[in-house]
Amino acid sequence: MSGIKIRGTGRFAPAKIVTNDDLAKIVDTSDEWITTRTGIQTRHHCTTETHTDMCVGAARQALENAGISPEDIGACVVATFSSDYLSPSAACMVQRGLGLPHDAVCFDLNAACSGFLFAIHTMECLLAQAPRKYGLVIGAEMLSRFINWEDRGTCVLFGDGAGAVVVEWREDYPSIHAVLGCHGDPDMLGVTGAEKPEPARIFMHGQPTFKFAVKAVPYCIDQVLEKAHMTIEDVDFFVFHQANARIIDFAAKKYHIPPEKYYKNIQKYGNTSAASIPLVISELHDLGKVGPGSRVLLVGFGGGLTWGGALVEFA
Ligand code: UT7
């Protein structure tokens, strides 16, 4: 046995709030369409804030919440595809911003909306070898920089934000039993890349992505529970990637998860890709819905296509 538990959480959302009515003034959409199809009411967009500000803000709060000082951190992994620079990485900017030790292993990882799952699994593996047993796992996205304002099917969905957790690795902690996967597909959902002459922009085929999501979520839940030798009843809380309220409600209904065991904040933040899961975790922690001893099942899915699940405990 060996693994990680969450010791502290933090989050950062930029100040500017964009409502559905704000969007209806610039594209052919309505509050009614966005709310009923997605559950989104508002999203945050960066104006003066940078991606680095969001990462450092969320990570600082997580460290304070955990009562851990920066010099105790052995590794920092940021899940993102929208950082301020292609290089240096967002994690290097967090090292600088918080004064993490120079030998802390700091790097970014891109698994789109499943990124936080890939990052927390990577952290569990990394800390086993690290001299210091605390790690920072951050999910952060500044998706407003990639919005295609010509496409009403996607421009209403995405927002900016960051969430962070401090984890502790111990020999007597259980593994998070991560289940991760990908199916390379350059056409379904993504951000146009360097080969395009025009600026990078988000693209998505909504309906097939929705169909992929409603298969990926049960797959991840079943696989994680099987790996952990647990049942649905052993889980205290479920945290789903916030892509569409209908996907979350579908999963809750399929597994008979009562309303007090899952949570949505998509109405406030929209889809923040890799940031969505740690934003939920941080809010739940502040609300006292999760805390020491809680077992939380995380499920992510998104561009790549990628998917991931894990069962994370709070210390
Ligand atoms: O985070 C990564 C994973 N992402 C996901 O899992 C997202 C999965 N997909 C979805 O959540 C949904 O497919 C969307 C919310 C993106 C779209 O909802 P939908 O129910 O699948 O709508 P649709 O794309 O089939 O479009 C239905 C209609 C179309 O009009 P017609 O052809 O029926 O006349 C669209 O043109 O809605 C129209 N439409 C809009 N109307 C008003 C599309 N976007 C908008 C809009 N406002 N913003």
Side-chain angles (χ1 to χ4, degrees):
M1 194 158 89
S2 69
I4 53 173
K5 289 190 182 184
I6 294 178
R7 285 289 299 260
T9 62
R11 65 185 181 280
F12 184 101
K16 184 180 178 191
I17 295 173
V18 180
T19 67
N20 292 345
D21 286 336
D22 292 336
L23 293 176
K25 288 180 195 140
I26 49 177
V27 291
D28 181 14
T29 190
S30 65
D31 175 49
E32 200 267 332
W33 191 94
I34 303 170
T35 307
T36 53
R37 298 286 178 130
T38 71
I40 300 167
Q41 292 168 6
T42 61
R43 68 288 289 144
H44 293 248
H45 283 178
C46 289
T47 50
T48 55
E49 306 90 343
T50 63
H51 186 281
T52 302
D53 293 336
M54 295 197 293
C55 290
V56 171
R60 181 175 284 123
Q61 201 181 79
L63 283 171
E64 281 167 12
N65 183 252
I68 301 293
S69 60
E71 54 268 29
D72 295 324
I73 294 296
C76 170
V77 180
V78 182
T80 190
F81 58 85
S82 56
S83 53
D84 290 330
Y85 310 96
L86 287 179
S87 178
S89 67
C92 285
M93 300 310 286
V94 174
Q95 183 281 324
R96 174 190 162 104
L98 293 177
L100 303 182
H102 294 293
D103 65 346
V105 181
C106 298
F107 64 96
D108 293 358
L109 166 162
N110 174 357
C113 304
S114 314
F116 188 76
L117 273 308
F118 281 68
I120 200 163
H121 168 69
T122 302
M123 183 59 77
E124 183 170 73
C125 302
L126 269 178
L127 287 181
Q129 297 293 322
R132 293 176 301 279
K133 298 302 181 189
Y134 294 104
L136 260 172
V137 185
I138 303 169
E141 300 292 7
M142 191 167 159
L143 299 177
S144 59
R145 60 177 23 140
F146 297 141
I147 287 175
N148 177 359
W149 291 107
E150 309 283 304
D151 178 13
R152 68 175 178 169
T154 57
C155 71
V156 301
L157 304 176
F158 297 99
D160 302 338
V165 299
V166 172
V167 297
E168 179 188 17
W169 183 94
R170 275 179 32 181
E171 266 182 4
D172 59 339
Y173 281 169
S175 165
I176 62 169
H177 301 293
V179 170
L180 306 170
C182 82
H183 165 73
D185 183 330
D187 301 316
M188 183 98 86
L189 161 64
V191 181
T192 52
E195 83 281 5
K196 303 274 181 195
E198 63 270 18
R201 291 288 174 256
I202 294 170
F203 61 88
M204 177 167 72
H205 296 291
Q207 285 201 8
T209 305
F210 192 99
K211 286 183 187 146
F212 152 71
V214 295
K215 279 192 190 151
V217 172
Y219 175 82
C220 290
I221 294 176
D222 293 346
Q223 292 290 307
V224 171
L225 290 176
E226 192 182 320
K227 232 177 144 179
H229 303 292
M230 288 190 195
T231 66
I232 280 283
E233 287 72 35
D234 295 319
V235 178
D236 297 308
F237 220 97
F238 293 82
V239 174
F240 301 103
H241 168 49
Q242 308 280 303
N244 189 321
R246 288 187 286 141
I247 296 172
I248 299 168
D249 292 336
F250 154 83
K253 194 168 167 203
K254 183 173 172 67
Y255 287 92
H256 308 290
I257 303 169
E260 64 275 14
K261 280 194 166 191
Y262 73 102
Y263 187 74
K264 284 179 277 191
N265 62 12
I266 187 171
Q267 66 280 4
K268 278 198 290 188
Y269 299 111
N271 183 344
T272 57
S273 190
S276 87
I277 288 174
L279 277 170
V280 170
I281 295 173
S282 166
E283 284 198 2
L284 290 175
H285 198 204
D286 282 359
L287 291 168
K289 289 178 186 287
V290 296
S294 302
R295 275 196 202 123
V296 185
L297 202 155
L298 314 177
V299 182
F301 52 88
L305 298 168
T306 55
W307 56 89
L311 191 61
V312 183
E313 285 189 34
F314 277 72

